[in-house]
């Protein structure tokens, strides 16, 4: 499980300035902030806007466009479950139903103080060994509902 | 003590996903316990994914393959003397003799699974850098001419002739030009780019460098989707190594040409596979599709002339420069020249990567190489070319894998992905998903895609629920025509392809008794 430090505006500022020289620095900066803190706090918007000579609207627009960027601290664990066609052909939708029915885990539900969240992604490039999941950078093939529940630290 | 035994355990993400790391650790531990010196090499995957983790041992008689190996099998393998190619129930025989590999014509993937992906020495030993060296002996125009002669067409899906694109950028006047590699492999059912990133990263760097030298671009960007963390790490490491070795930098391989590149990471947006939206993303903006013209070849990244090509297009380039455009064009058929790395996935017994000259039929790939469905049930539908590709019926499988042949039956080749479904699939649901996916991933710029996808979900829902089916089917067909004709890019323009193919080939799924009123699923 990844533990992120609390948002630190000074640390964020130094991350922004260390990458501001890149051509098209916005995404590399957002990734670096999210890697450090687990999310991109709205306080980062004016920092990035100033460093890159952009409007705050531009920066906010970029953050809000991409599925990856979070604007609030992440759950302690994120299990990304592929639900694209190749995994559908290998039963991922049945898996999603089993997860809800047998383990009480509802995919893409962020309610409550859950330790782990299962999120939908579309394609992890493991289409011959699906259904697939990505957990903290590790790709797992041929998963079933029990395996996903175990990865979540399981409320059986 | 004799020389260390070379054992290959793939580091490819697919192999890791079924336990390759644990196998590698078990081999290291077992070897140590037995006092056997082992040189453990982490190679790419051979592409026989159903046999992963597939490990190989180097013997005097060549490499011997074992698969699928689990960590618990390792002690038994040592007991059976696998370190010298000994017999074991998991032994597959000499890797080179495996029918699945022997049948292929691997040009782009010739080194993947063979070498240590991050060893430049291995890369050179197995023919790497010869294309770049050949390119450095030619003029920019000379390189472009070889690419034209090869007949190479963009492997991302659109199939535009690569040589013509390069010619346009070559001829454009600008002090700054760019090479951009589209590694946003978001299509479900495709994983060739990922296997190449992880299995032979220097090949892609070499291909991009050749492009840079050909058109006079000194800077390249490789955009990889964030869903591929292993690939990102491998490519970043390979770029550093290539720079340190003088393959990139101000004097490429000691020549007067300058070319360097950077890896950029996507952020979970399927639309970034569209080239202009990818450029917007590199520039740091919302990935909103640009209207064309101007084409990226003239006004691309930061408004400069830019070559945007798919990973597999760049990766084909070193072989073409090394062997000549004509040698490449000798593979293939009609206007589809060279080889195509086909990716076989979904509900299939033997899935993986198959590189072959254009012209093999879908049936040969799915039934002969793939062995039919994994579930053992009959094949009902096959989606070719990703989420925007058509669903074909089992009767259409004699179609050959070729840009024109697939277009001829209202389908498309796309990035060469094939997803197999058995007879449990509900094609009305698949049609609904095509719209749902488009609604989620649309960039929102053009109305047909932004609004049409959402209306499409609603219409399919009404059809499934049995509400005024004939009328809703007419609206569905009309909506599809509009999205096809009026969308700005392929996202909205091709979403009707899976929908209409499902409707036309599997109309019975749109005519079933409506399901009983089901309790609402929790949102």
């Amino acid at each position: 499980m990844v533990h992120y430090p609390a948002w630190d505006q000074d640390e964020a500022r130094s991350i922004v300035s260390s990458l501001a020289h890149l051509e098209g620095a916005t995404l590399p900066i957002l990734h670096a902030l999210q890697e450090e803190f687990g999310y991109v706090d709205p306080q980062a918007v004016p920092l990035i806007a100033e460093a890159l000579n952009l409007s705050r609207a531009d920066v906010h627009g970029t953050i809000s466009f991409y599925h990856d960027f979070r604007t609030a601290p992440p759950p302690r664990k994120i299990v990304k479950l592929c639900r694209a066609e190749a995994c559908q052909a290998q039963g991922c939708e049945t898996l999603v139903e089993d997860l809800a029915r047998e383990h009480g885990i509802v995919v893409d539900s962020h309610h409550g103080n859950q330790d782990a969240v299962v999120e939908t992604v579309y394609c992890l490039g493991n289409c011959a060994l699906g259904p697939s999941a990505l957990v903290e950078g590790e790709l797992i093939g041929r998963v079933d509902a029990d395996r996903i529940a175990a990865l979540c630290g399981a409320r059986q | 003590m004799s020389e260390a035994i070379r054992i290959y355990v793939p580091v490819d993400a697919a192999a890791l996903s079924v336990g390759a790391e644990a196998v590698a650790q078990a081999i290291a531990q077992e070897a140590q316990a037995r006092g056997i010196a082992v040189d453990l090499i982490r190679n790419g995957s051979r592409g026989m994914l159903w046999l992963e983790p597939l490990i190989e041992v180097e013997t005097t008689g060549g490499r011997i393959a074992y698969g699928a190996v689990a960590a618990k099998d390792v002690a038994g393998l040592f007991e059976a003397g696998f370190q010298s190619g000994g017999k074991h129930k998991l032994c597959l025989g000499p890797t080179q003799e495996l029918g699945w590999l022997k049948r292929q014509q691997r040009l782009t993937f010739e080194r993947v699974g063979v070498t240590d992906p991050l060893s430049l020495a291995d890369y050179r030993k197995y023919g790497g850098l010869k294309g770049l060296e050949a390119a450095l002996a030619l003029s920019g125009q000379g390189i472009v001419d070889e690419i034209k002669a090869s007949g190479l067409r963009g492997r991302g899906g659109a199939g535009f002739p690569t040589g013509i694109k390069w010619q346009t950028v070559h001829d454009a006047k600008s002090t700054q030009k760019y090479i951009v590699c589209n590694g946003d492999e978001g299509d479900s059912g495709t994983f060739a780019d990922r296997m190449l990133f992880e299995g032979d990263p220097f090949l892609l760097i070499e291909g991009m460098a050749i492009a840079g030298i050909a058109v006079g671009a000194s800077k390249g960007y490789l955009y990889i989707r964030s869903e591929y963390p292993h690939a990102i790490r491998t490519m970043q490491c390979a770029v550093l190594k290539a720079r340190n070795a003088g393959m990139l930098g101000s004097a490429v391989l000691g020549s007067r040409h300058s070319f360097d590149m950077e890896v950029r990471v996507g952020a979970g947006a399927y639309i970034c596979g569209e080239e202009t939206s990818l450029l917007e993303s590199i520039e740091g903006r919302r990935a909103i599709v640009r209207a064309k013209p101007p084409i990226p070849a003239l006004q691309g990244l930061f408004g400069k002339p830019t070559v945007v090509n798919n990973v597999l297009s760049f990766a084909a380039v070193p072989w073409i420069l090394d062997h000549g455009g004509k040698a490449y064009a000798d593979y293939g058929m009609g206007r589809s020249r060279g080889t195509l790395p086909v990716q076989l996935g979904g509900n299939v017994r033997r899935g993986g990567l198959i590189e072959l000259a254009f012209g093999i039929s879908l049936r040969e790939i799915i039934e002969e190489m793939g062995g039919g469905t994994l579930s053992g049930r009959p094949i009902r539908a096959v989606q070719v070319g990703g989420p925007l590709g058509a669903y074909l019926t089992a009767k259409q499988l004699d179609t050959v894998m070729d840009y024109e042949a697939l277009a001829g039956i209202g389908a498309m080749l796309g990035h060469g992905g094939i997803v197999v479904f058995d007879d449990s699939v509900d094609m009305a649901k698949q049609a609904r998903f095509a719209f749902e996916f488009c609604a989620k991933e649309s960039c929102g710029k053009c109305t047909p895609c932004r609004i049409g996808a959402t209306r499409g979900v609603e219409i399919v829902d009404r059809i499934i629920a049995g509400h005024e089916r004939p009328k809703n089917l007419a609206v569905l067909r009309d909506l599809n025509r509009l999205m096809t004709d009026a969308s700005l890019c392929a996202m909205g323009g091709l979403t009707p392809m899976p929908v209409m193919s499902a409707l036309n080939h599997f109309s019975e799924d749109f005519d079933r008794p409506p399901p009983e009123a089901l309790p609402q699923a929790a949102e």
Side-chain angles (χ1 to χ4, degrees):
Chain A
M1 231 168 250
V2 192
H3 291 282
Y4 295 103
W7 185 266
D8 176 336
Q9 191 73 352
D10 290 333
E11 180 59 26
R13 184 175 287 113
S14 89
I15 289 172
V16 171
S17 63
S18 71
L19 294 169
H21 66 281
L22 294 174
E23 288 185 315
T26 311
L27 260 65
I29 287 173
L30 294 172
H31 277 302
L33 290 171
Q34 183 148 310
E35 192 164 310
E36 177 66 24
F37 301 109
Y39 74 110
V40 179
D41 195 278
Q43 293 178 71
V45 172
L47 283 185
I48 299 170
E50 192 179 340
L52 302 184
N53 195 23
L54 298 170
S55 74
R56 280 180 289 173
D58 284 334
V59 178
H60 173 78
T62 299
I63 295 170
S64 62
F65 183 85
Y66 296 94
H67 297 308
D68 279 3
F69 297 127
R70 297 170 189 280
T71 50
R76 280 158 60 89
K77 193 169 197 179
I78 300 164
V79 177
K80 294 185 174 180
L81 177 69
C82 176
R83 293 175 72 189
E85 289 90 339
C87 284
Q88 290 168 9
Q90 296 168 89
C92 72
E93 291 308 304
T94 311
L95 188 160
V96 168
E97 288 164 20
D98 291 349
L99 260 184
R101 196 178 50 240
E102 292 167 18
H103 303 277
I105 297 171
V106 178
V107 175
D108 293 327
S109 160
H110 286 82
H111 300 306
N113 297 319
Q114 298 146 294
D115 268 353
V117 166
V118 182
E119 293 183 349
T120 298
V121 288
Y122 294 109
C123 200
L124 296 167
N126 198 28
C127 314
L129 295 173
S132 299
L134 187 69
V135 188
E136 287 162 3
E138 194 185 336
L139 183 64
I140 306 169
R142 298 279 189 235
V143 293
D144 55 22
D146 292 343
R147 184 86 192 272
I148 297 289
L151 288 166
C152 290
R155 294 160 298 149
Q156 296 285 340
Chain B
M1 200 165 70
S2 61
E3 224 174 281
I5 297 152
R6 292 168 79 99
I7 299 180
Y8 295 81
V9 181
V11 73
D12 178 277
L16 296 177
S17 84
V18 287
E21 193 57 44
V23 171
Q25 282 174 15
I27 289 173
Q29 278 165 13
E30 197 66 30
Q32 198 181 21
R34 290 166 186 263
I36 299 168
V38 163
D39 187 5
L40 200 59
I41 296 157
R42 306 304 302 272
N43 56 335
S45 168
R46 294 276 191 169
M48 295 177 282
L49 296 176
W50 77 98
L51 290 173
E52 293 291 0
L54 180 141
I55 66 176
E56 293 172 83
V57 180
E58 198 159 278
T59 69
T60 47
R63 280 157 72 159
I64 310 291
Y66 297 81
V69 177
K72 63 175 169 50
D73 299 322
V74 169
L77 282 166
F78 273 97
E79 214 50 57
F82 96 116
Q83 60 275 29
S84 49
K87 281 204 169 67
H88 186 277
K89 65 180 191 322
L90 297 177
C91 183
L92 305 166
T95 316
Q96 286 195 327
E97 299 302 315
L98 295 174
W100 214 76
L101 277 180
K102 261 176 100 171
R103 193 164 171 184
Q104 301 189 35
Q105 291 150 309
R106 289 203 167 183
L107 309 184
T108 298
F109 278 77
E110 60 182 342
R111 269 180 303 269
V112 176
V114 177
T115 57
D116 173 349
L118 286 169
S119 162
L120 255 175
D122 252 18
Y123 186 62
R124 246 193 204 284
K125 185 174 153 194
Y126 287 88
L129 294 179
K130 283 191 187 160
L132 182 54
E133 284 163 355
L136 288 169
L138 296 172
S139 65
Q141 186 60 53
I143 300 171
V144 173
D145 288 342
E146 282 301 328
I147 299 300
K148 281 185 185 164
S150 75
L152 177 66
R153 292 168 67 179
R155 295 286 187 255
F160 188 82
T162 307
I164 293 177
K165 191 182 279 184
W166 287 23
Q167 185 72 62
T168 309
V169 180
H170 173 273
D171 294 346
K173 298 275 175 278
S174 176
T175 50
Q176 176 73 64
K177 300 177 186 178
Y178 290 103
I179 304 297
V180 170
C181 179
N182 183 344
D184 194 63
E185 185 179 49
D187 288 355
S188 173
T190 63
F191 46 83
D193 296 357
R194 183 188 61 67
M195 284 186 61
L196 198 92
F197 294 142
E198 296 171 12
D200 198 11
F202 295 118
L203 177 68
L204 180 58
I205 296 171
E206 184 178 348
M208 288 178 68
I210 293 169
I213 290 160
V215 304
S218 58
K219 179 86 202 223
Y221 286 97
L222 164 59
Y223 188 96
I224 308 183
R225 59 203 297 265
S226 62
E227 292 85 346
Y228 285 0
H230 307 77
I232 293 164
R233 275 198 299 277
T234 307
M235 283 307 315
Q236 282 172 335
C237 182
V239 167
L240 280 177
K241 288 194 174 197
R243 199 176 290 141
N244 289 338
M247 187 179 161
L248 294 172
S250 55
V252 173
L253 295 185
S255 71
R256 62 185 176 79
H257 294 283
S258 157
F259 183 77
D260 209 336
M261 62 179 281
E262 244 179 76
V263 176
R264 286 292 169 93
V265 179
Y270 175 78
I271 195 62
C272 289
E274 198 283 334
E275 61 176 0
T276 62
S277 120
L278 185 146
L279 297 174
E280 289 290 310
S281 185
I282 296 177
E283 292 184 21
R285 286 192 286 275
R286 295 167 72 84
I288 305 284
V289 172
R290 296 178 185 171
K292 290 189 270 194
I295 55 172
L298 296 173
Q299 289 179 44
L301 190 62
F302 301 108
K304 305 295 184 193
T306 304
V307 171
V308 187
N309 274 144
N310 182 256
V311 174
L312 299 180
S313 310
F314 284 122
V317 164
W319 195 96
I320 292 167
L321 268 291
D322 182 17
H323 298 83
K326 182 169 178 313
Y328 190 79
D330 285 343
Y331 291 92
M333 61 178 283
R335 292 201 288 124
S336 303
R337 313 308 313 181
T339 60
L340 175 73
V342 174
Q343 302 120 85
L344 182 57
N347 191 338
V348 66
R349 265 181 70 203
R350 297 190 291 266
L353 185 116
I354 304 164
E355 182 176 353
L356 275 169
F358 284 96
I360 189 172
S361 75
L362 284 163
R363 192 176 304 284
E364 285 171 275
I365 292 173
I366 296 167
E367 293 183 355
E368 291 175 24
M369 300 197 73
T373 62
L374 180 65
S375 60
R377 300 172 67 99
I379 294 171
R380 177 137 189 266
V382 173
Q383 190 177 29
V384 181
L388 306 176
Y391 285 102
L392 304 178
T393 65
K395 285 186 182 142
Q396 291 178 297
L397 297 186
D398 292 312
T399 311
V400 294
M401 293 290 279
D402 157 279
Y403 292 103
E404 279 70 31
L406 282 166
I409 58 164
M412 67 162 193
L413 182 60
H415 190 50
I418 300 175
V419 175
V420 180
F421 292 80
D422 72 12
D423 62 354
S424 64
V425 68
D426 177 344
M427 296 307 295
K429 274 193 187 159
Q430 296 308 119
R432 184 191 191 278
F433 176 75
F435 279 129
E436 187 191 343
F437 183 70
C438 183
K440 276 190 182 165
E441 298 297 332
S442 171
C443 80
K445 179 159 179 163
C446 73
T447 314
C449 177
R450 184 183 67 246
I451 307 288
T454 301
R455 293 293 93 87
V457 173
E458 295 163 359
I459 297 166
V460 176
D461 276 345
R462 285 199 288 272
I463 293 168
I464 292 172
H467 294 167
E468 298 189 288
R469 274 189 177 148
K471 281 185 185 169
N472 277 304
L473 283 167
V475 175
L476 181 63
R477 287 181 188 277
D478 185 65
L479 173 70
N480 277 307
R481 203 172 309 123
L482 179 126
M483 286 179 71
T484 305
D485 292 345
S487 296
L488 190 55
C489 81
M491 174 101 232
L494 291 177
T495 291
M497 196 180 263
V499 175
M500 291 309 292
S501 58
L503 183 57
N504 290 334
H505 300 319
F506 304 91
S507 57
E508 63 275 22
D509 285 12
F510 295 79
D511 198 26
R512 296 192 189 286
E516 304 277 324
L518 296 169
Q520 288 284 308
E523 280 296 323

